[in-house]
Structures are given as structure tokens and as C-alpha cells.
Amino acid sequence: MNRKPIPYARQSISEADIQAVVEVLRSDWLTQGPVIERFERAVAGHCGATYAVAVNSGTSALHIACLAAGLGPGDTLWTTPNTFVASANCGLYCGASIDFVDIDPGTYNLSPDELERKLDHAAKDGTLPKVLIPVHFSGQSCTMDRITELAGRYGIAVIEDACHATGGSYQGSRIGSCAFSAMTVFSFHPVKIITTGEGGMVLTNRKDLYEKLIRLRSHGIIRDPAHMEGESHGPWYYQQQDLGFNYRITDMQAALGMSQMKRIDEFVRRRSVLARQYDEGLRGLPLTLPSRHPDAGSAHHLYVVRVPAVSGRTRAELFTGLREAGILANVHYIPVHLQPLYQRRGFHAGDFPHAEQYYREAISLPMYFGLTDDEQAYVIGTLRKLLS
Ligand SMILES: *Cc1c(COP(=O)(O)O)cnc(C)c1O
């Protein structure tokens, strides 16, 4: 086999991307310079949000979003079990408890029916969450109209984990517009839609949240005398008002992000072509292909197929067969509540049966901007062989 291994995801870096980073390296500012704000404005503008705060990872973005929403000890955060651990860990960082809402077995996103049922119980028991984090799994939006309506009934803050969905849309508005949430979080890890190496962002339309996010990103320090407690000591003076962090992104990373933002529509277009080609190429095989919600324009971060029992092959056999053919498939996700840390916190196998059943069958096939038609045809051909 002299074919190069095909990963499940990979960044696309152009000459212009490289030039943008080099320019910053020759400039006066490597961090906290002018490019960060330009990058924030570019993303906010693309999404139709008023404010954006860039940070050093999607995980940091989730953390400060939870803090800005007021999440703390004694509170509870709900999210989906079918996500990366960071969507739940951000609640633990704040000292809050975590609970999960099972997925819709059709879309693999947090189920609004389950949410309604669980909220009903929680309202009676006095265990309502303070924050709800729906995750737009694989790049396809959750049914935000219902989720937001349900959360609104009980005064729960909604933070969209849109780490898969930069460039996606829902009911005609861009993901990140915060039309259905207090805040939306993106990740710019290299496997995601656009990259800054490591990086993330929180978007919001609320000035109060924006100001909190800005403070939390950089130690809880402010420099504007108008917002200080007491008198300023002089032009050098700053004041720490909250316990914040150093979650700043660098100007090199922001420059890469700015340059990648120019390519985002092209990125998502190619991904949607690849998704359609998979749909066509895999038709007729004993695999469950992804479903498309009519309200959602997916960013196509992942292309997940399910290997049901009737296929005659187990997921593990198919996974190994692909690996042996140089196709580095992946699995998204091991349900978070099955992780030992969460088991020690009281969760059990069987708690969220739809997420667990989905996990047993799921494989993520290669899906990224630079995947060629030839490589994709090889993936499809290999699957056909393995399932014959
Ligand atoms: C990637 C990802 C994160 C974390 O983002 P990082 O930038 O890697 O910290 C959080 N949630 C989801 C759903 C993700 O896919």
C-alpha cells in the first residue's frame, strides 16, 4: 500500500494563511495586538452577532461563557452525553454539578422531547439547571427553536457549543448569531472548520456578558477608570475585580484565523459536496447514513455512519478494516457519562440509552476540505469491499 494514510480530519493551510502569520511575526505585536480585534469583528460580522471574544481554546471559551452566565457551586449544568468531554467539564471548572439529556436517535443531537420531560421532573424536584449547553453535533444545529423555548420557560441560560458548526446555519440565521442563545462558542482546533492552531471564541449580543468575558479572558483586570472601584491612581493603574485567567489568544493565531475566515464559505461548500458524495456512494450498503434536519444548514464537521447489527459486521471489524486500508476513521463520541471521572460522580451505563446505542455503532469517516474525490472514492470502495 503506497497510498498516504487518510486521516478523519485535517486543516487546510494556504500560502496566504502562512503569509498572514509571517506578517505578524515581523510586526510589533505578538500578542494582544490589533489583529485579535480584527479577527473578532470578522467572525462576529460573518455570524451576525454584536460581540465576539477570542480566546486560546474552545474549552476556555466554554469555561468563561459558563462563568459569565453566573454558573457556580450549587448550580447544575445540563448538556448532551454525545459530545467531547469539554462541554461538561466547563461546568465542573465552575464548581457546578453536571447532568445530561439523552440524544434524539435520528439526529444524534440533544433531544427536545427528553429535555421537556426532564425539565418537568426537575421543576417538581427543585433541581432545574442554571445553564444548558446544546451541542451542534457534526455541524448540524440542534432544534434550537424548541430548546430555547423550553429553557426560557424556566429562566435557564443557553450556551450553544458550536465547536462543530462554524459556518453552519439554522432557520436562515448563521450559527453564532445567538438568535437562540445567550452565547455561542466556537473552537479553532485544526480538526474543526477553520483553525488558529489552538483557539476558540465566544459570541454574544449582550454587552453585559461581553464585558464579563473580556475581563475573565485576562485575569479579571480592567483598565478603564470609568469602571473602577474608587479613584484611579494614575495612567499606569489597573484593577483586578474578578478572578480571571490568562486565556488570551496570540496575534499570530488571530492572523491565521482572519485568513481562514476568508475561506470559510469555500470550506463549508466543499464539505457539503463531500457529504453528498458519501450519501450517494454509500447508498444501498447496510449502514445508517446521517439524517438532515430541514431547518439546519450543516457545516459538515463530521460524516458519521452507523453500523447496525444487521450489517453482518461489527463496528470494531469495520473500524479495523478501514485502519488496515490506511483510512484513519474515528469514533465520536464515547458518551461522556461513561468516562471514569463521570462514573465516579454517580453516572451509570444505561443512564442515557440512545447515546449508548448510537456509540456502539458509530464511525466517523474522513471529512475535510482537502479530501480529494479520488481519496473519497477509495474510502467508499473500501467500505463496499468490507461489507460485501
Ligand atoms: C473541539 C471541541 C471542544 C473543545 O475545543 P478545543 O478548542 O479543543 O478546546 C468542545 N466541544 C466540542 C463539541 C468540540 O468538538
Side-chain angles (χ1 to χ4, degrees), residues 164-195:
H164 296 187
T166 316
S169 63
Y170 177 71
Q171 290 186 350
S173 41
R174 279 263 164 72
I175 301 287
S177 70
C178 300
F180 293 90
S181 62
M183 288 169 275
T184 301
V185 166
F186 289 149
S187 164
F188 307 129
H189 182 277
V191 298
K192 307 293 164 72
I193 309 294
I194 66 161
T195 191

Side-chain angles (χ1 to χ4, degrees), residues 57-59 62 83-84 86-87 135 161 163-164 187-189 192 198-199 333:
S57 73
T59 303
L62 284 166
T83 186
F84 186 54
S87 317
V135 178
D161 180 338
C163 290
H164 296 187
S187 164
F188 307 129
H189 182 277
K192 307 293 164 72
E198 297 280 0
Y333 282 101

Side-chain angles (χ1 to χ4, degrees), residues 24 27-41 54 217 248-252 254-255:
V24 170
S27 80
D28 294 334
W29 304 90
L30 298 188
T31 190
Q32 289 184 285
V35 190
I36 295 170
E37 234 172 273
R38 259 184 254 149
F39 179 41
E40 290 170 340
R41 277 201 303 273
R217 169 172 69 180
R248 295 188 303 261
I249 193 167
T250 66
D251 273 48
M252 286 92 77

Side-chain angles (χ1 to χ4, degrees), residues 73-124:
D75 297 329
T76 306
L77 175 154
W78 287 6
T79 187
T80 166
N82 184 34
T83 186
F84 186 54
V85 292
S87 317
N89 291 348
C90 56
L92 298 181
Y93 297 157
C94 301
S97 304
I98 309 301
D99 204 351
F100 301 94
V101 180
D102 207 351
I103 61 168
D104 175 324
T107 62
Y108 320 144
N109 270 331
L110 186 147
S111 156
D113 292 334
E114 281 295 318
L115 177 64
E116 182 159 22
R117 195 187 52 75
K118 198 169 169 114
L119 283 171
D120 217 43
H121 282 283
K124 290 186 188 116

